[in-house]
Amino acid sequence: MKSAVETLNPTRVRLTVEVPFEELKASLDAAYKKINQQVTVKGFRRGKIPARVIDQRFGRGAVLEEAVNDALPKFYTEAVNEAELNVLGQPEVDITELKDNELLAFTAEVDIRPALEIPDYSGIEVEVDAVEVSDEDVDKSVEQLRERFATTTPAERAAQEGDVLTVDLEAKVDGEVLEDGVANGVTYTVGSGELLDGIDEAVKGLEAGGSATFTSELKGGSAQGKEAEVKVDVTEVKSRELPALDDDFAQLASEFDTLEELRADSRKRLEQMKKYDQATQAQEKVLDELLKLVEVPMPEKLLADEIQTRKHNLEHHQLGQMGLDLAKYLEIQGKTEEEFDAETKEQAEKGIKTQFILDELVNKEKLNVSQEELTEHLMRRAQSSGMSPDQFAQAVVEGGQVPMLVGEVARGKALAVVVEAATVKDSNGQVVDLEDEDEVEVAEAVVAEAEGTDEKAEEAAKTEG
């Protein structure tokens, strides 16, 4: 076999391959054997039909076609390996010459990973929010915990802010009651901002047995986004009583003996949350700066496929689960189809650039993924997908998604290397020292978000599962 490579542009090549006919012998033998098992000829047992009879009855062309279809992937792969190409996607193959007993020649155009030069990234500087927990933040956290331990008692009076009501709802659009527009026995806390806009004003002042009608934009269901006339019937009014903020409450709501200890723990938890958010912000900003440093030629077919994949996942998985189509989604988002397409293209380009650059860094820094690191990543993914680790692992293996997860971990480690080399300061001008134990985990999440691989892996796993 002889092969040559022609560079069409920085991301696409054309392979020209010539195969002497004797190298097709194994595929020809396999073609005769396959046809032998599929056809019957009077006077011969199945599988024992001579080659000359097959040629006479079914034509030598049918045999050659079967042999070439069998041989092409092997010779294409050999040519790719010989040229040391890093190909992307499937090739476009064109058979240019097929002479029986002489020669097979074909061309294959395919996208390749562009060669990238990674410049010195140690000069990257980013600013992130400072980790500051105020007394007001702690108060709010403790108050939220206090809300969970509130008690209710029936109230023989009109509803007011903070009361817990039991209500029946009926929604009409254009005078017609919606099939999914009736709900009975709904529990609602006045002033919570849940359910529907306008409901608080409607129910305040109503006693049990009272009714009111208001207009509101529906937040879900078959008529999501439409204006509806909503009738609300109050069937029960309960007052809420919050426990006193004292040591007894701390013992009731936590493992602590005093309110002071509870508040200290709340402050510590809020600091940990803000540190995680700060780390995520740092990783995202460093990644954006890294992308600016490297010029990445964009393979057109790969980009088109990525855009199509993202649209498909949005329409058939995320929106489908919410009972929405793309048109309704765009209406709710206040976007035109052109704006949506431009946004999707931008996200797809960022995802491809992220993968190319970080993969180059993985090779440059000689980063490897251990079994332990892969297992930890898989456990986190299983948790976010709502599947058990065993179910998720099995689905990932059956769906051929293991390389995707290995790539995510490796690219997360690569981004962590860049972040470690960068200068990260908070809004107070202080240099931020990101915690090592969380750095790679946060980086993996940031990379998966940028590439869109979090959704792809989970959807593939759910499909296989």
Side-chain angles (χ1 to χ4, degrees):
M1 184 194 81
K2 293 193 304 182
S3 64
V5 180
E6 177 187 357
T7 300
L8 303 177
N9 61 48
T11 64
R12 196 164 179 83
V13 297
R14 179 188 292 121
L15 284 163
T16 301
V17 183
E18 292 185 358
V19 183
F21 210 80
E22 55 266 24
E23 293 186 34
L24 283 173
K25 185 179 185 309
S27 293
L28 277 169
D29 291 344
Y32 278 117
K33 186 175 181 180
K34 183 176 180 180
I35 293 173
N36 238 309
Q37 299 299 324
Q38 294 174 339
V39 301
T40 56
V41 175
K42 190 175 180 180
F44 296 95
R45 285 183 295 161
R46 184 183 290 274
K48 300 294 183 180
I49 308 168
R52 60 179 176 77
V53 175
I54 290 177
D55 289 346
Q56 291 168 356
R57 286 294 187 95
F58 306 102
R60 173 73 165 174
V63 180
L64 288 176
E65 182 180 354
E66 183 67 41
V68 168
N69 287 340
D70 175 73
L72 273 178
K74 179 173 78 77
F75 291 120
Y76 165 74
T77 301
E78 285 182 13
V80 166
N81 293 337
E82 188 177 286
E84 297 182 342
L85 297 175
N86 197 337
V87 299
L88 302 165
Q90 297 301 313
E92 295 178 5
V93 177
D94 182 25
I95 297 173
T96 55
E97 195 171 358
L98 178 56
K99 290 183 179 178
D100 198 357
N101 291 312
E102 291 186 33
L103 180 73
L104 164 66
F106 67 90
T107 62
E109 287 191 18
V110 66
D111 284 338
I112 60 170
R113 279 181 180 260
L116 301 180
E117 285 293 329
I118 307 294
D120 179 19
Y121 47 78
S122 61
I124 291 177
E125 292 188 17
V126 298
E127 182 182 290
V128 295
D129 296 333
V131 174
E132 296 173 340
V133 178
S134 66
D135 290 341
E136 288 75 14
D137 293 331
V138 177
D139 291 343
K140 183 177 179 182
S141 176
V142 173
E143 190 64 26
Q144 288 173 343
L145 182 62
R146 188 182 176 209
E147 294 272 351
R148 288 165 49 190
F149 286 86
T151 57
T152 59
T153 54
E156 300 294 328
R157 57 167 174 75
Q160 58 190 34
E161 188 85 6
D163 284 347
V164 178
L165 311 183
T166 303
V167 300
D168 297 335
L169 299 167
E170 180 185 86
K172 292 182 180 179
V173 173
D174 298 329
E176 296 291 330
V177 177
L178 299 170
E179 287 186 13
D180 56 353
V182 177
N184 295 322
V186 177
T187 299
Y188 178 67
T189 301
V190 182
S192 66
E194 299 171 354
L195 285 182
L196 297 165
D197 294 336
I199 191 171
D200 288 329
E201 292 75 10
V203 297
K204 283 179 184 177
L206 294 181
E207 297 183 18
S211 297
T213 302
F214 62 100
T215 301
S216 183
E217 183 179 305
L218 297 179
K219 295 181 179 179
S222 61
Q224 181 169 350
K226 291 185 177 180
E227 286 287 321
E229 182 183 272
V230 182
K231 182 188 177 204
V232 55
D233 296 321
V234 177
T235 60
E236 188 176 29
V237 178
K238 290 182 179 179
S239 62
R240 294 174 75 247
E241 294 182 14
L242 297 173
L245 276 177
D246 53 23
D247 292 347
D248 289 339
F249 167 69
Q251 294 166 23
L252 171 69
S254 70
E255 70 271 29
F256 302 106
D257 293 328
T258 67
L259 183 61
E260 184 178 348
E261 290 174 329
L262 173 60
R263 288 180 61 84
D265 182 70
S266 295
R267 184 180 295 276
K268 182 180 177 182
R269 290 175 186 273
L270 289 171
E271 285 177 350
Q272 289 173 338
M273 289 171 56
K274 290 201 174 189
K275 281 182 179 178
Y276 188 89
D277 291 342
Q278 185 188 63
T280 300
Q281 189 181 24
Q283 302 272 10
E284 290 173 344
K285 288 193 170 187
V286 169
L287 176 59
D288 286 341
E289 292 302 311
L290 178 64
L291 295 182
K292 292 176 187 176
L293 289 179
V294 187
E295 189 67 33
V296 181
M298 189 60 54
E300 292 183 11
K301 189 174 186 305
L302 179 68
L303 177 59
D305 290 345
E306 178 65 16
I307 291 171
Q308 183 58 38
T309 297
R310 286 174 180 252
K311 282 186 175 180
H312 178 85
N313 285 342
L314 176 66
E315 289 188 64
H316 298 279
H317 298 294
Q318 296 162 310
L319 297 184
Q321 291 172 358
M322 295 187 287
L324 296 175
D325 59 18
L326 183 59
K328 176 59 68 175
Y329 169 76
L330 293 179
E331 181 184 331
I332 294 169
Q333 292 290 313
K335 294 177 185 174
T336 65
E337 193 166 343
E338 290 75 18
E339 289 170 334
F340 169 75
D341 287 342
E343 189 178 278
T344 304
K345 181 181 179 183
E346 183 180 345
Q347 292 169 347
E349 285 180 339
K350 181 179 180 180
I352 293 170
K353 285 182 179 180
T354 297
Q355 187 175 120
F356 284 176
I357 293 172
L358 294 181
D359 280 346
E360 189 67 30
L361 273 169
V362 168
N363 294 330
K364 182 179 178 181
E365 302 291 343
K366 296 180 173 56
L367 301 175
N368 296 310
V369 176
S370 69
Q371 184 60 50
E372 182 182 1
E373 290 169 332
L374 180 60
T375 300
E376 288 175 356
H377 184 65
L378 191 146
M379 297 276 283
R380 289 192 291 270
R381 274 305 192 83
Q383 186 175 14
S384 66
S385 71
M387 300 171 71
S388 74
D390 288 344
Q391 285 177 320
F392 189 81
Q394 182 179 350
V396 163
V397 171
E398 292 176 356
Q401 301 297 315
V402 173
M404 179 187 289
L405 296 188
V406 172
E408 276 181 21
V409 178
R411 289 190 285 275
K413 293 176 75 170
L415 178 56
V417 168
V418 180
V419 173
E420 192 173 339
T423 300
V424 181
K425 293 183 178 180
D426 66 19
S427 51
N428 294 328
Q430 299 296 313
V431 174
V432 176
D433 182 19
L434 300 173
E435 296 181 15
D436 292 340
E437 58 268 25
D438 291 335
E439 197 169 341
V440 173
E441 179 184 340
V442 175
E444 288 172 11
V446 169
V447 170
E449 174 68 24
E451 295 180 6
T453 50
D454 46 357
E455 293 162 7
K456 292 175 193 172
E458 285 170 26
E459 292 301 340
K462 288 174 183 175
T463 300
E464 290 297 324

